[in-house]
Amino acid sequence: MTLESPKPASADAGVVGLAVMGQNLALNIADHGFSVAVHNRTTSVTEAMLAEHPAGTFGPGYRGKGPGGLVGCESVADFVSALKRPRVAIILIKAGKATDAVIDSLAEHMEPGDVIVDGGNAHWDDTSRRAEALSAKGLRFIGSGVSGGETGARFGPSLMPGGDREAWPVLEPIWQAIAAKVDARTGKPIEGAAPGKTVDDENAEACTAFIGPGSAGHYVKMVHNGIEYADMQLICEAYDLLRTVLELSPAELSDVFKAWDDTELDSFLIEITADILGQVDSKTSKPFVDIVLDRAGQKGTGKWTSVASLDMGVPAPTIAEAVFARAISSFKDLRVSASEVLDGPESPEFEGDRAQFVEDVRQALYCSKICAYAQGFGLMAEASKENNWDLDFAEIAQIWRGGCIIRAALLHEITLAYRERADLPNLLMAPAFVEAVDNAQDAWRRVVATSALQGVPTPAFSSALAYYDSLRSARLPASLLQAQRDYFGAHTYERVDAPRGEFFHLDWPEKERPEVQA
Ligand code: NBP
């Protein structure tokens, strides 16, 4: 099939980049009755997509006849001329230099007032830079987080747009239509929302909202991914503990996770974990989880979140530990040789109550997960202050309840917590979580203690508990630390009995060690 040129300005929006995400998002938009111009650097990809999805196969009602459809475009110039004004061009390509190249070529053909939306996983610094450069040309830029992977893009993602507020009314009808929907009363995803169906339910809430100016959307998406790293690592530690300490088989663990999915742990990641643990390898008949090499990859958003937390001095240790856990997993050969040299504890047979231990691990997972969210929201709160984004945390939690990888029942509780108090100093201090963690903390401590005694690595569980204990410590040994700093580096200290901001120094080498005000 060849693509006609030139095009009349008939498309409601356009998608550039037709790999997994771009194709699925474009199909989702077309399903909702919009006409979508599509363009890919390699034209054969565009041609194949059009051949597979001919006119008349889109519209309200999945694959029914309707007005939606695709307009294939060979060149960027054709693509731009195919768009109705104000033009909306959505980019879904490899993040980094490729995104700059595509933005530059779009900007050459677009006119003031037109909107460019970057739906890729751009670093938020890049988004700020691009927004400024495009604004100088009169173009409007939105950096939008898109979460939910391939299936989400196709049938309902969670969308986190940020940038030029005046561009939002232009994008909003499309983003509202294609986003995942949840029931406003329960926060649960509405099944009928997928695939491509119009949701008539008056209680349906779309998993999208304007996040804030500048790079707020991509920042929030980055933190979403950081929390995702922590959530996945915590689940893996729960699995590892139950497998190592209780010697449960993957099939038995699949049942455990299935049962947990009916509790407050109800989430997409728990659901897929149960499914994965029940999977048997067709070649060997072994549990699938045992034939997958234990080396985890990463694309960088967890690292970005951790770097942002270090840069701002806002603690997100559980997210960082999740990134480090992937890093240490990648040293497979080193671990194999170290395992032959380094001894662990004599692992005594577990003599406790097995059912109780399973329940303890469940509760430890829940508490640790709340901590990971507390860290992510703490990070966003600081970034919001620093950048004047005025982030609405209830809204952010609300749009994470459906469509995205971290969708979970917990997010409804977080939504309610921030609706009750928008300026919560820390998520753990919301009354519902104070109580939940208090009720579960004995179990959590038993689990972390058991992991240490048995030599099962639980960096995320342990760091989450240390975060909780640090947070609830009115006094930390930082007094000694600050004294050490003053001793060797004259870094000064504040006194508990003097106003904050007054600094002192002890003249340590002097015999009398006099105190001087700095
Ligand atoms: P990829 O990230 O694999 O990118 C492939 C696309 O980029 C193709 O369309 C390719 O065109 C295009 N491209 C490249 Br590479 N260099 C280009 C250039 N210089 N000029 C123009 N086009 C160029 O695609 P993806 O996995 O669909 O992800 C798209 C974006 O969405 C990424 O930023 C990703 O991080 C983000 N994201 C992905 C997921 C996911 O689950 N995959 C989830 C959420 C967000 P070609 O066909 O000509 O090579």
Side-chain angles (χ1 to χ4, degrees):
M1 143 172 230
T2 48
L3 305 173
E4 291 165 27
S5 150
K7 312 280 176 195
S10 62
D12 301 302
V15 174
V16 182
L18 302 177
V20 176
M21 293 299 284
Q23 283 217 18
N24 282 295
L25 206 81
L27 294 173
N28 188 355
I29 297 172
D31 263 350
H32 284 86
F34 298 98
S35 163
V36 190
V38 287
H39 167 75
N40 194 67
R41 178 181 61 175
T42 308
T43 305
S44 58
V45 176
T46 315
E47 289 170 342
M49 183 183 180
L50 258 75
E52 209 182 320
H53 303 280
T57 57
F58 298 96
Y62 181 51
R63 289 182 183 276
K65 292 222 182 276
L70 305 177
V71 181
C73 305
E74 190 170 346
S75 68
V76 171
D78 277 359
F79 172 82
V80 172
S81 70
L83 299 172
K84 287 184 203 159
R85 294 211 62 196
R87 303 180 179 98
V88 178
I90 302 159
I91 305 172
L92 275 152
I93 64 161
K94 198 173 159 66
K97 286 200 173 83
T99 304
D100 283 316
V102 169
I103 288 177
D104 286 348
S105 60
L106 282 170
E108 254 178 55
H109 302 279
M110 291 177 97
E111 293 169 83
D114 289 347
V115 182
I116 296 180
V117 182
D118 178 14
N121 270 336
H123 190 283
W124 62 288
D125 275 342
D126 288 339
T127 300
S128 305
R129 171 177 58 75
R130 288 167 186 152
E132 267 180 43
L134 288 172
S135 159
K137 293 179 183 168
L139 294 173
R140 293 171 172 168
F141 188 56
I142 288 197
S144 180
V146 176
S147 178
E150 183 179 352
T151 310
R154 181 71 183 91
F155 301 122
S158 174
L159 298 165
M160 295 149 247
D164 189 333
R165 195 176 286 276
E166 285 176 32
W168 177 231
V170 182
L171 181 66
E172 189 176 7
I174 300 171
W175 253 214
Q176 285 275 344
I178 66 168
K181 306 291 181 306
V182 295
D183 186 318
R185 296 158 302 181
T186 61
K188 286 191 181 292
I190 298 174
E191 295 297 327
K197 282 183 186 160
T198 306
V199 179
D200 296 325
D201 191 330
E202 60 179 20
N203 296 304
E205 247 170 20
C207 293
T208 187
F210 187 76
I211 299 289
S215 51
H218 273 145
Y219 193 93
V220 166
K221 171 62 170 35
M222 173 190 79
V223 175
H224 163 284
N225 284 27
I227 293 171
E228 179 184 311
Y229 271 59
D231 203 350
M232 292 170 76
Q233 175 63 23
L234 288 166
I235 290 173
C236 291
E237 290 176 15
Y239 150 79
D240 198 21
L241 273 165
L242 294 177
R243 188 144 188 207
T244 309
V245 176
L246 299 186
E247 296 180 351
L248 294 178
S249 68
E252 288 168 320
L253 283 165
S254 172
D255 290 338
V256 168
F257 278 92
K258 256 182 223 144
W260 286 1
D261 203 29
D262 289 330
T263 69
E264 60 265 59
L265 286 178
D266 173 7
S267 65
F268 171 71
L269 284 169
I270 292 284
E271 185 188 317
I272 66 164
T273 301
D275 202 12
I276 291 166
L277 291 172
Q279 179 69 28
V280 172
D281 177 45
S282 58
K283 280 195 200 136
T284 60
S285 301
K286 288 183 180 166
F288 176 72
V289 72
D290 288 346
I291 60 99
V292 177
L293 187 67
D294 53 335
R295 283 185 62 201
Q298 50 183 314
K299 281 196 166 172
T301 41
K303 183 186 87 177
W304 292 351
T305 313
S306 307
V307 169
S309 108
L310 288 168
D311 278 346
M312 276 194 301
V314 178
T318 308
I319 294 172
E321 285 293 358
V323 179
F324 289 135
R326 290 195 194 192
I328 200 162
S329 84
S330 71
F331 289 91
K332 173 74 176 176
D333 296 340
L334 174 65
R335 289 189 287 112
V336 170
S337 47
S339 73
E340 287 157 11
V341 182
L342 304 178
D343 282 334
E346 289 272 318
S347 298
E349 216 166 275
F350 181 78
E351 284 176 355
D353 180 331
R354 292 170 65 84
Q356 181 63 52
F357 188 66
V358 174
E359 175 58 12
D360 281 358
V361 172
R362 189 187 74 78
Q363 297 205 23
L365 179 52
Y366 188 57
C367 293
S368 304
K369 192 169 155 145
I370 297 169
C371 287
Y373 275 91
Q375 293 165 24
F377 277 87
L379 192 54
M380 290 190 289
E382 199 56 35
S384 181
K385 255 190 255 162
E386 238 178 61
N387 299 291
N388 294 318
W389 285 337
D390 197 19
L391 296 181
D392 179 335
F393 299 117
E395 204 161 60
I396 291 168
Q398 183 179 315
I399 67 177
W400 287 351
R401 292 177 305 178
C404 63
I405 304 297
I406 61 171
R407 60 186 180 266
L410 175 61
L411 277 157
H412 191 55
E413 301 307 317
I414 297 176
T415 305
L416 299 180
Y418 278 110
R419 274 189 196 154
E420 201 171 297
R421 189 172 167 196
D423 63 344
L424 257 179
N426 185 291
L427 183 64
L428 281 157
M429 290 162 75
F433 294 127
V434 169
E435 195 186 335
V437 174
D438 190 32
N439 289 340
Q441 65 168 306
D442 288 350
W444 191 12
R445 294 181 192 285
R446 283 194 294 271
V447 167
V448 171
T450 304
S451 75
L453 290 171
Q454 298 259 347
V456 181
T458 54
F461 271 17
S462 307
S463 78
L465 182 55
Y467 174 80
Y468 175 71
D469 281 335
S470 299
L471 186 68
R472 60 174 201 84
S473 293
R475 188 170 167 79
L476 284 169
S479 50
L480 174 57
L481 197 141
Q482 196 57 23
Q484 291 167 335
R485 295 185 72 235
D486 189 58
Y487 194 108
F488 65 71
H491 291 300
T492 72
Y493 54 88
E494 293 167 289
R495 294 184 59 98
V496 293
D497 52 6
R500 295 261 178 99
E502 281 186 19
F503 290 89
F504 301 88
H505 168 59
L506 220 57
D507 200 350
W508 295 95
E510 285 290 312
K511 192 160 178 263
E512 299 299 324
R513 296 186 167 173
E515 183 178 74
V516 288
Q517 192 150 2

